[in-house]
Amino acid sequence: MDDKHSIPVVEMVDIVKVFPGVRALDSVSFSVQQGEIHALLGKNGAGKSTLMHVLTGLYTPDSGTIRIRGEIHENLNTAKAKQVGIALVAQHAKFVPGLSIAENVYSGMLPLNWGGFIDWKKMYRDAQEKLGQFDIDIDVSRLMEDTTVAERQMIEIARALFADASVIILDEPTAPLPKHDVAKLFEFVRRQRARGASFIYISHYLEEIFEVADHVTVMRNGVVAGVSPVKDITQPELIRLISGANVERYKRESGKIGNPVLSIKGLNRPGAYTDVQLTLNAGEVVGLTGLEGSGPGELARGLFGLEPLGSGSVMLNDSPYIDGSPISSLKQGLAYLPRDRHGLGIVAIRSVRDNVSLSVLDRLQQSLNLIDGAKEKELVSDFIDILGIKTPSMETAVENLSGGNQQKVVVAKLAATEPKVLILDEPTQGVDVQAKVELLRIVDKLSQRGVAVAVVSDELSELMDICDRIVVFYRGKIIREFRKNHEPITTALLLAAIEGETLENTNASV
Amino acid sequence: MQASKHIPTLLDHLIWVILVGVFIFFVFQSPVFLTSTNITNIFTAAAVLGILVVGQTFVLISGNFDLSSESTLGVCALFGMYLIVPATPPYWGGGILINPYLSIAVIIITGSLFGYINGLLITVGKMNNFIVTLAMLLILRGLMMAFTQGKPISGLNFPPAEVYFWLGHESLFEIPDLIKIPVGVMATGLIFIIGHIVLNHRRFGRELYAIGGNKQAAIASGIDADKRVRQAYIISGGLAALAGWMLAGRVGSIQVNLGDGYIFTVMAAAVIGGISLQGGRGTMLGALGGVLLLSTIDRGLNLMSVSVFWVKVIQGLIIMFAMFIDAQRVRYRKPQAKVAAVTASPANPA
């Protein structure tokens, strides 16, 4: 193995892949050394997925060379790629949820006893031992569906390693993970690296790159924009490479803050939040943050009727708020942008037009309750213009748009309802740097029109950029509230509050 | 490369290409195929099937199945006749002798009610739609047999039943030896047009597409998905009753197996016409194409005197072919969808 150390495990040279109308990969070269974590960055549509599809044999390149451990592989197909040790760990690993962890680990090669029956004892023992080798300490008789997403990803990586994979592609592994699990996953990945495994790490989170990766390759518009050891590059430089321009962070100026629109008093929901007091004012942007499960997400979903709201007083524009279903929430002027865009946000197979007008079809009716097609098209094309949705036409299926544009479609659908209160749950999750800025600008625009906006997020720098107030939850309670222009807000202060430090504690320690 | 771009579009409209091809094939195979009588026969056969398919299309687009519609058709045709004709042989009715117009209204309401029950069990009872409607298929057929003890109910030679036969039996715009358009065919045509308008230009239809495409997202967009699904089932049940009324007029005497096995043809027509069994995709126009294709093939094989046994085999093969086309549609759409899913955003942890 040692003599091979200088030869890259993966070496892709001058890869070209053309799709009708697009040069998806234009002479791309990419290499990964043994025992390194190599980050692959780029906006949605920059070509990183196409490149990975070429490496895993799903796409055949039009030209170029692929060498695995120095050996040239032509006609790489998915089976062959697997054979030479390339494995892709998708964000949502494919498991059978109703079976035990052990059965999932062994799927396809269950150990049999002398009678030809499954040797359960041996299976559990071996599975426990095998996972143990990879430092996964978990009861393998538990059902797969009871594991956390982080555990599942670790098991998936381990499973690939059992099958002698030496290069593992991690596609946005941390996006669905709560913060504390991210650390666990990183620790795990580092340990496997120490054992000689190589990782290709795809992510939108730049901080993570500095935390975990050794090398970074940035792609833009189908070409490599830059390659560098991580220690030799800074975050602004990375952003510049990714976007191709010097992207400023979007800083929102506080606007005119109007009357209270939504006031919550003494709201309780056992297991979710306790004694919530919160007021959202017209024209104001309020950030809600905290550890995963500490309350803000639960409150947002509760208010929108996707989960029970609990007991307490909630007033919307001075009348009692009727909770329980998205229908009644939207009717009263409270709209919610879900965190789970694919599950709750878009109807992927339907067109941009169908998606944008979905919540306001009642307003578009004319005689005989028929939908006024002209009015509908006008509404949709207005939103396409205002929000800058990049789509070939309004009849394009939303599944064919990039993540950022899909998110804008959801925002358009909500904005069309002309809400008084807009709650955005992780609005910039999984969208590229440029689209992030555009989304934040849209949030700003909506607040200027007098909408009371709440943003649930753990992207602290974003919250600091756009919020008038940041409310921090800890174990279901509002533990601190930071007001812009009243007190300094820093990441350190926010993090301390998120970890449970109250104002009294802070003062006492000073 | 350019050609592959057009494959999905071609697949979506393949039905019309095949229909024309099959039509021309039969014209060469049988001298009587291209006569006005035969064309009328094709449309007449398509009429009953078409109504069932319109109802089924609503349910399929919402992401559900209604397997019970053939039994609803049978029960309603029988029940309507039972209310009109005497209890004595050869009629074997209920001897209630109610006004046929009232009887028609009663069965349409009855059919809609069966649909509503399906809808309630599925949306409120949270039961699986496939199994619920399969159970309903058996229950209604069984009730029909138990109720009549297997005896047919006939309205033949009973003048008041004429009204009941009008939809399935009469023709309009008759020019002797040249053209006559059966009332049933016009009714079905009208129902397709209304179905198309409702599906594309009314809130109900648009919301059904969203529900079939992604139910959770539809709910989060403020749509009452359960109510819409119930309404789709009510339409399916009501239209099945209407189809029963039409078929009653064609046969005159209702056997207990009326409509038995029809559901396979209904599903085949819908799928051949491009209605996705996963929901959210498909058009009324496509469904119409599926109905016409199956009716044309059926009639053509009949004229060619193909044995009934082989007709079954051929029907089976056609259904398989339809599923093959459906699979190709999915396949040709997938590469795009897959790339979008990978490059796009994280979905939430399950």
Side-chain angles (χ1 to χ4, degrees):
Chain A
M1 275 310 227
D2 274 349
D3 55 324
K4 285 189 178 177
H5 208 272
S6 53
I7 305 169
V9 191
V10 171
E11 197 177 9
M12 304 173 83
V13 184
D14 291 336
I15 304 288
V16 175
K17 178 74 191 170
V18 181
F19 291 117
V22 201
R23 218 171 160 79
L25 296 177
D26 193 359
S27 193
V28 170
S29 297
F30 176 69
S31 67
V32 180
Q33 300 291 334
Q34 193 193 337
E36 76 162 348
I37 301 174
H38 196 123
L40 181 59
L41 304 181
K43 288 195 285 192
N44 296 330
K48 42 188 207 305
S49 301
T50 312
L51 186 68
M52 290 302 103
H53 286 332
V54 169
L55 183 58
T56 54
L58 195 64
Y59 292 161
T60 312
D62 297 328
S63 68
T65 327
I66 303 171
R67 285 197 203 94
I68 314 282
R69 281 180 224 90
E71 214 173 293
I72 293 184
H73 285 270
E74 282 166 28
N75 307 324
L76 199 66
N77 56 29
T78 48
K80 219 187 247 171
K82 207 176 264 177
Q83 216 183 328
V84 297
I86 312 269
L88 176 100
V89 174
Q91 202 174 85
H92 296 284
K94 289 191 179 73
F95 285 113
V96 186
L99 295 182
S100 68
I101 294 170
E103 283 167 278
N104 272 291
V105 167
Y106 270 107
S107 66
M109 41 179 184
L110 295 170
L112 302 180
N113 62 18
W114 53 269
F117 297 100
I118 292 166
D119 191 341
W120 293 98
K121 244 189 215 156
K122 180 172 157 43
M123 186 187 73
Y124 284 128
R125 201 180 50 229
D126 286 4
Q128 195 82 60
E129 199 180 301
K130 272 190 160 181
L131 289 178
Q133 284 172 13
F134 294 101
D135 309 295
I136 302 175
D137 185 24
I138 192 171
D139 176 5
V140 296
S141 62
R142 276 168 59 200
L143 291 185
M144 206 69 219
E145 62 196 0
D146 297 334
T147 57
T148 66
V149 182
E151 284 171 335
R152 255 173 258 176
Q153 285 179 340
M154 288 185 226
I155 294 166
E156 173 82 349
I157 294 169
R159 191 163 71 166
L161 292 170
F162 298 156
D164 289 327
S166 50
V167 180
I168 294 173
I169 304 164
L170 300 173
D171 189 7
E172 293 223 39
T174 61
L177 294 186
K179 277 245 156 74
H180 54 276
D181 279 353
V182 172
K184 253 194 247 169
L185 181 73
F186 283 175
E187 186 51 43
F188 176 76
V189 168
R190 280 193 207 102
R191 271 204 298 270
Q192 307 319 320
R193 170 182 61 183
R195 291 183 171 148
S198 309
F199 289 88
I200 298 172
Y201 189 89
I202 300 174
S203 179
H204 280 302
Y205 299 105
L206 298 184
E207 304 92 72
E208 289 178 8
I209 305 307
F210 291 96
E211 203 175 322
V212 77
D214 306 308
H215 251 88
V216 55
T217 295
V218 179
M219 294 191 66
R220 189 173 68 232
N221 297 333
V223 298
V224 173
V227 186
S228 166
V230 169
K231 59 179 187 340
D232 298 342
I233 197 162
T234 63
Q235 188 157 344
E237 283 170 335
L238 266 186
I239 292 175
R240 222 175 0 259
L241 283 176
I242 292 169
S243 61
N246 212 341
V247 175
E248 293 296 313
R249 274 163 52 173
Y250 189 75
K251 297 255 186 202
R252 173 178 167 274
E253 290 301 316
S254 291
K256 207 177 131 247
I257 293 173
N259 295 327
V261 181
L262 186 79
S263 24
I264 302 170
K265 285 200 182 77
L267 189 65
N268 286 293
R269 180 171 129 212
Y273 38 77
T274 334
D275 195 27
V276 174
Q277 320 277 348
L278 182 67
T279 307
L280 303 181
N281 300 308
E284 189 185 30
V285 178
V286 178
L288 307 178
T289 190
L291 295 171
E292 178 72 23
S294 65
E298 287 77 2
L299 179 65
R301 291 188 290 276
L303 283 169
F304 193 60
L306 294 171
E307 288 173 11
L309 182 59
S311 59
S313 142
V314 181
M315 305 288 282
L316 203 161
N317 272 352
D318 298 326
S319 39
Y321 177 69
I322 302 150
D323 66 293
S325 80
I327 301 167
S328 88
S329 300
L330 285 168
K331 217 173 263 168
Q332 295 167 86
L334 185 142
Y336 167 77
L337 179 127
R339 180 179 306 199
D340 178 3
R341 177 159 72 238
H342 284 106
L344 293 172
I346 56 170
V347 183
I349 61 173
R350 303 301 303 175
S351 67
V352 172
R353 177 172 60 89
D354 280 3
N355 273 276
V356 171
S357 63
L358 193 53
S359 294
V360 291
L361 291 172
D362 55 339
R363 277 207 340 241
L364 295 171
Q365 287 167 351
Q366 48 173 356
S367 57
L368 291 169
N369 284 345
L370 296 178
I371 308 280
D372 185 337
K375 209 164 136 194
E376 183 188 19
K377 285 201 178 107
E378 193 189 319
L379 174 101
V380 176
S381 74
D382 279 357
F383 274 110
I384 288 175
D385 291 346
I386 297 169
L387 304 191
I389 300 172
K390 286 184 198 76
T391 175
S393 88
M394 67 171 74
E395 303 303 331
T396 306
V398 173
E399 65 190 359
N400 295 328
L401 304 186
S402 72
N405 283 302
Q406 291 180 351
Q407 192 72 311
K408 286 184 199 167
V409 168
V410 184
V411 173
K413 176 178 75 180
L414 300 176
T417 67
E418 294 172 5
K420 300 183 190 88
V421 181
L422 178 60
I423 303 174
L424 307 158
D425 197 350
E426 299 287 357
T428 59
Q429 192 182 63
V431 306
D432 63 60
V433 180
Q434 201 106 50
K436 246 176 214 186
V437 171
E438 286 171 36
L439 277 165
L440 295 179
R441 181 172 296 133
I442 294 162
V443 169
D444 188 5
K445 259 188 209 164
L446 287 167
S447 77
Q448 281 170 21
R449 287 190 191 170
V451 180
V453 181
V455 182
V456 178
S457 176
D458 49 17
E459 295 271 338
L460 298 180
S461 58
E462 266 173 42
L463 290 181
M464 289 191 289
D465 287 348
I466 61 162
C467 293
D468 298 297
R469 273 189 293 151
I470 300 176
V471 175
V472 182
F473 282 71
Y474 182 72
R475 291 179 190 270
K477 278 190 177 147
I478 293 179
I479 188 171
R480 277 204 64 179
E481 186 173 319
F482 294 88
R483 277 176 301 168
K484 206 185 208 167
N485 307 334
H486 280 255
E487 58 206 296
I489 310 178
T490 65
T491 317
L493 282 170
L494 282 170
L495 278 174
I498 287 170
E499 298 291 346
E501 198 163 299
T502 59
L503 191 56
E504 292 80 57
N505 289 346
T506 324
N507 289 344
S509 66
V510 169
Chain B
M1 271 298 168
Q2 275 310 101
S4 71
K5 209 174 96 183
H6 297 293
I7 288 176
T9 328
L10 182 70
L11 284 173
D12 284 342
H13 297 286
L14 191 61
I15 181 75
W16 300 105
V17 180
I18 295 174
L19 182 59
V20 171
V22 165
F23 195 87
I24 292 171
F25 172 79
F26 283 127
V27 169
F28 282 106
Q29 290 297 316
S30 163
V32 290
F33 190 81
L34 198 63
T35 58
S36 76
T37 324
N38 187 54
I39 303 298
T40 310
N41 279 340
I42 291 176
F43 278 110
T44 310
V48 173
L49 178 65
I51 294 179
L52 285 177
V53 169
V54 171
Q56 193 68 237
T57 297
F58 280 107
V59 175
L60 286 176
I61 280 177
S62 78
N64 290 278
F65 287 93
D66 185 1
L67 301 179
S68 69
S69 56
E70 61 163 54
S71 292
T72 305
L73 172 149
V75 165
C76 290
L78 183 103
F79 186 48
M81 190 76 91
Y82 176 85
L83 293 175
I84 298 168
V85 299
T88 52
Y91 308 114
W92 299 111
I96 309 168
L97 306 179
I98 71 167
N99 181 320
Y101 290 109
L102 184 62
S103 156
I104 290 161
V106 167
I107 62 168
I108 303 282
I109 292 167
T110 308
S112 309
L113 190 68
F114 291 147
Y116 185 59
I117 293 168
N118 279 332
L120 276 182
L121 292 172
I122 291 157
T123 58
V124 180
K126 305 285 171 214
M127 292 153 78
N128 178 279
N129 65 79
F130 193 89
I131 304 300
V132 163
T133 57
L134 181 64
M136 188 60 91
L137 171 94
L138 296 172
I139 292 167
L140 294 181
R141 183 64 62 189
L143 279 177
M144 193 172 162
M145 291 174 174
F147 188 67
T148 60
Q149 294 295 309
K151 278 197 293 285
I153 298 181
S154 172
L156 296 171
N157 306 317
F158 182 68
E162 295 283 302
V163 171
Y164 195 64
F165 292 159
W166 175 76
L167 181 67
H169 200 67
E170 293 305 312
S171 293
L172 293 175
F173 304 120
E174 196 165 345
I175 303 170
D177 297 327
L178 190 65
I179 197 170
K180 64 173 184 178
I181 305 173
V183 178
V185 172
M186 285 193 293
T188 302
L190 190 66
I191 284 167
F192 264 102
I193 292 168
I194 295 171
H196 171 83
I197 291 171
V198 169
L199 210 46
N200 291 289
H201 302 286
R202 298 251 334 201
R203 190 178 162 195
F204 168 70
R206 299 282 295 273
E207 293 189 353
L208 277 191
Y209 275 117
I211 293 164
N214 182 350
K215 189 175 164 198
Q216 295 313 316
I219 292 170
S221 303
I223 291 171
D224 192 342
D226 284 351
K227 184 173 127 195
R228 291 305 187 208
V229 168
R230 284 195 295 275
Q231 287 170 335
Y233 274 101
I234 290 172
I235 291 175
S236 179
L239 286 178
L242 187 73
W245 172 29
M246 189 185 286
L247 194 55
R250 271 182 37 208
V251 297
S253 164
I254 316 291
Q255 307 280 340
V256 288
N257 66 353
L258 186 78
D260 198 9
Y262 223 45
I263 195 67
F264 297 110
T265 318
V266 171
M267 289 295 173
V271 173
I272 292 172
I275 310 293
S276 162
L277 295 181
Q278 276 87 44
R281 274 194 236 269
T283 63
M284 260 323 155
L285 189 67
L288 175 65
V291 169
L292 290 177
L293 180 64
L294 286 190
S295 308
T296 305
I297 290 175
D298 201 49
R299 188 70 207 148
L301 293 177
N302 203 327
L303 285 180
M304 284 170 67
S305 317
V306 175
S307 131
V308 280
F309 308 121
W310 284 107
V311 168
K312 281 255 186 256
V313 174
I314 291 168
Q315 283 170 342
L317 286 172
I318 290 167
I319 295 175
M320 264 187 203
F321 178 68
M323 293 318 295
F324 172 75
I325 296 294
D326 195 45
Q328 302 319 302
R329 271 194 205 106
V330 173
R331 211 182 95 194
Y332 278 99
R333 260 192 211 108
K334 220 169 190 171
Q336 302 176 326
K338 201 184 272 166
V339 174
V342 173
T343 53
S345 82
N348 223 28

